[in-house]
């Protein structure tokens, strides 16, 4: 009893085994060095160190001091019980004086044996030895009380020899336990391989989802930045518009005030002159001498009822026209701002817009992914068909007959290009087939072919130079089919509206690229309420 009590005193409260290299804390409690270091390591991040036994807290990580006295006591205790720590959970059934670890168990005897008793144990074949176990009854047939040596493949049950000969498994196909175990392990191995493969596939799906989520988060963050920049630009434009309108109103107010002041001054002078004439006429009317009245000079002018100068100009005749012009300018500016807002609110479509090689001119090279077109000097020798352009141009394979759509391109600023949309009935040969040179196409052109790297828009051979100089190599084309609007934007920061064509579309529309020099790459496409083919 004393030995058991001493053993409990020599056990670490963390691992519940005898101390190994015991150390003592400032509070007086002892632990294995490895155990307490593992506990303290978990506290390093928070810095809240405390004793696992009494919960006393320490400001800093406590210094571990080896407990020499406890080490000596532990050494003396182990020297008096040399076999105590070697005992496993299963002891020899025949060593009753002191527990001795078992090395084998006999299924026939239903007993566990140490090395000493194993040497004198029967070596007969009926005595089946296994690793030490306490569940000896599960190794015997519950009906015949004999050792389970076979496996019935029909009933999937472990059986004894009597079950095979006279029992309910008589005549069934049986195998030895080792043979059946090997087959089961092989089957389990195959199943484990399948599970491992499925787990890897699942992990791959999880990784892809996490990657998509991360990219989605990055995209949402970028879209937030774009929206913030757009609305900042809108606020700047509204502020500038407000300042311009207020300045115009103030200018008109000042002009009207000056004009009215001038008119009032002239009328005051005229009023004084009329008052002077009225007084002189009254004096003549009050005279009694007719000769004096008749001899007064300029009496005809004094008595003339007609006004010589007419009504004075008040200077307000143009106020209505200027007001209408101002309102029209404000409406046009706000409409352009609303188009700028709409351009970012398209949702991505299910697929990319691709180029139709069957419409590509022979001097154009189309990439394998059908997204890039380059002008080259080598003739491609494609078959001549009614749908193929004679030079420089290619259509998209998709066409749009309703809904809202957009597509982006990357252009060569050093090259010469046109991008836009057209009807499928556009001519394929001659100068009139170039986009913008007819009433079936609308385009934006840029590059070295325009003066000072500036943009132009063209429809039905009417060229409209734009004031914007090229600052980006990316352009967006937006189509609102029902509204009859085709808009062009430069994808700079913030996005900049270039021009909007307004028309009543009578046919489906194809995207069209024209490369005079350099290359053009399709870089994105999106739709809302799309109907395309």
């Amino acid at each position: 009893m004393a030995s058991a009590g001493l053993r409990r005193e020599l056990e670490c409260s963390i691992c519940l085994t005898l101390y190994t290299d015991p150390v003592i804390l400032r509070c007086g409690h002892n632990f294995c060095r490895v155990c307490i270091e593992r506990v303290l390591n978990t506290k390093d991040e928070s810095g809240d160190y405390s004793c696992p036994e009494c919960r006393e807290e320490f400001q800093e990580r406590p210094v571990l001091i080896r407990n020499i006295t406890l080490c000596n006591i532990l050494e003396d205790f182990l020297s008096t019980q040399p076999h105590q720590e070697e005992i496993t959970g299963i002891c020899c059934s025949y060593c009753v004086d002191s527990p001795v670890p078992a090395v084998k168990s006999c299924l026939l005897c239903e007993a566990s044996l140490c090395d000493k008793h194993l040497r004198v144990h029967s070596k007969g074949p009926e005595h089946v030895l296994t690793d030490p176990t306490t569940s000896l009854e599960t190794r015997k047939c519950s009906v015949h009380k004999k050792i389970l040596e076979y496996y019935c493949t029909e009933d999937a049950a472990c059986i004894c020899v009597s079950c095979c000969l006279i029992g309910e498994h008589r005549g069934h196909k049986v195998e030895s336990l080792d043979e059946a175990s090997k087959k089961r392990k092989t089957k389990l191995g195959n199943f484990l391989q399948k599970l491992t493969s499925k787990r890897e596939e699942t992990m791959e799906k999880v990784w892809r989802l996490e990657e998509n989520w991360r990219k989605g988060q990055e995209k949402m963050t970028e879209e937030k930045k774009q929206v913030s920049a757009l609305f900042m630009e809108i606020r700047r434009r509204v502020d500038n518009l407000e300042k311009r309108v207020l300045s115009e109103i103030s200018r008109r107010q000042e002009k009207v005030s000056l004009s009215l002041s001038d008119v009032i001054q002239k009328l005051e002078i005229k009023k004084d002159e009329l008052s002077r004439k009225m007084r002189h006429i009254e004096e003549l009317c009050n005279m009694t001498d007719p000769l004096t009245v008749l001899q007064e000079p300029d009496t005809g002018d004094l008595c003339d009822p007609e006004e010589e100068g007419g009504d004075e100009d008040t200077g307000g005749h143009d106020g209505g026209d200027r007001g209408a012009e101002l309102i029209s300018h404000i409406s046009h500016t706000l409409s352009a701002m609303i188009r700028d807002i709409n351009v970012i609110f398209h949702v991505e479509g299910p697929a990319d817009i691709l180029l139709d090689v069957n419409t590509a001119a022979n001097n154009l090279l189309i990439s394998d992914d059908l997204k890039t077109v380059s002008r080259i000097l080598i003739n491609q020798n494609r078959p001549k068909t009614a749908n193929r352009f004679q030079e420089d141009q290619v259509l998209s394979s998709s066409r749009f007959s309703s809904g809202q759509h957009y597509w982006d391109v990357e252009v060569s600023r050093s090259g010469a290009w046109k991008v836009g949309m057209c009807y499928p009935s556009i001519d394929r040969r001659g100068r009139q087939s170039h986009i913008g040179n007819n009433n079936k196409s609308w385009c934006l052109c840029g590059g070295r072919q325009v003066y000072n790297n500036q943009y132009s828009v063209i429809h039905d051979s009417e060229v409209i130079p734009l004031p914007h100089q090229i600052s980006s190599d990316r352009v967006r084309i937006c189509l609102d089919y029902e509204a009859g609007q085709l808009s062009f934007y430069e994808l700079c920061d913030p996005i900049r509206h270039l021009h909007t064509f307004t028309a009543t579309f009578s046919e489906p529309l194809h995207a069209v690229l024209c490369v005079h020099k350099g290359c053009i790459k399709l870089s994105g496409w999106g739709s809302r309420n799309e109907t395309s083919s």
Side-chain angles (χ1 to χ4, degrees), residues 172-189:
H172 291 183
K173 183 179 179 181
V174 297
E175 297 174 346
S176 66
L177 291 182
D178 290 340
E179 184 182 359
S181 176
K182 288 180 181 179
K183 291 182 178 180
R184 174 65 63 86
K185 288 180 180 180
T186 301
K187 187 176 181 180
L188 290 175

Side-chain angles (χ1 to χ4, degrees), residues 353-367:
I353 190 170
L354 302 175
L355 299 176
D356 185 1
V357 180
N358 294 325
T359 65
N362 277 321
N363 62 345
L364 296 182
L365 177 65
I366 309 299
S367 63

Side-chain angles (χ1 to χ4, degrees), residues 182-387:
K182 288 180 181 179
K183 291 182 178 180
R184 174 65 63 86
K185 288 180 180 180
T186 301
K187 187 176 181 180
L188 290 175
N190 295 334
F191 185 62
L192 178 62
Q193 188 175 2
K194 291 181 180 179
L195 291 179
T196 302
S197 177
K198 287 185 178 180
R199 186 184 68 173
E200 291 177 354
E201 292 176 1
T202 304
M203 292 174 63
E204 179 69 18
K205 290 179 180 179
V206 170
W207 180 85
R208 285 200 301 267
L209 289 175
E210 289 177 347
E211 184 68 13
N212 291 338
W213 178 84
R214 184 186 62 79
K215 291 181 179 179
Q217 292 295 106
E218 292 177 355
K219 185 174 183 180
M220 293 299 106
T221 301
E222 184 63 25
E223 288 184 355
K224 285 182 180 179
K225 291 181 181 179
Q226 292 182 3
V227 170
S228 298
L230 176 60
F231 278 96
M232 186 179 298
E233 176 68 12
I234 291 173
R235 285 190 289 269
R236 185 187 67 79
R237 293 191 186 186
V238 171
D239 290 341
N240 291 340
L241 181 60
E242 180 185 11
K243 291 178 183 178
R244 294 207 318 268
V245 172
L246 292 178
S247 176
E248 176 67 17
I249 293 175
S250 298
R251 188 189 66 78
R252 290 178 56 223
Q253 183 181 15
E254 183 178 0
K255 181 178 178 181
V256 171
S257 297
L258 291 174
S259 178
L260 288 178
S261 296
D262 185 59
V263 171
I264 291 173
Q265 185 177 3
K266 291 180 180 179
L267 290 177
E268 288 288 344
I269 294 172
K270 187 172 183 179
K271 184 191 72 172
D272 293 340
E273 179 66 21
L274 291 174
S275 297
R276 185 186 65 78
K277 288 183 179 183
M278 288 174 62
R279 287 195 300 272
H280 187 63
I281 292 174
E282 287 177 353
E283 291 176 357
L284 290 177
C285 290
N286 292 329
M287 288 184 179
T288 57
D289 185 7
L291 183 60
T292 302
V293 173
L294 294 173
Q295 291 179 344
E296 178 67 28
D298 299 326
T299 54
D301 294 337
L302 292 175
C303 297
D304 188 2
E306 297 295 331
E307 294 292 338
E308 296 177 357
D311 294 335
E312 294 292 341
D313 187 4
T314 61
H317 61 279
D318 64 341
D321 293 340
R322 291 297 301 274
E325 292 176 3
L326 184 63
I327 293 173
S328 176
H329 174 69
I330 294 173
S331 176
H332 176 75
T333 303
L334 291 176
S335 297
M337 290 168 61
I338 291 172
R339 285 194 298 269
D340 286 348
I341 296 173
N342 287 337
V343 73
I344 67 168
F345 292 107
H346 293 276
V347 294
E348 289 192 1
D352 288 335
I353 190 170
L354 302 175
L355 299 176
D356 185 1
V357 180
N358 294 325
T359 65
N362 277 321
N363 62 345
L364 296 182
L365 177 65
I366 309 299
S367 63
D368 293 338
D369 61 359
L370 304 180
K371 293 183 180 181
T372 303
V373 54
S374 307
R375 193 178 190 275
I376 59 176
L377 299 178
I378 302 174
N379 192 306
Q380 300 295 297
N381 292 322
R382 300 187 183 102
K384 294 182 179 181
T385 63
N387 291 329

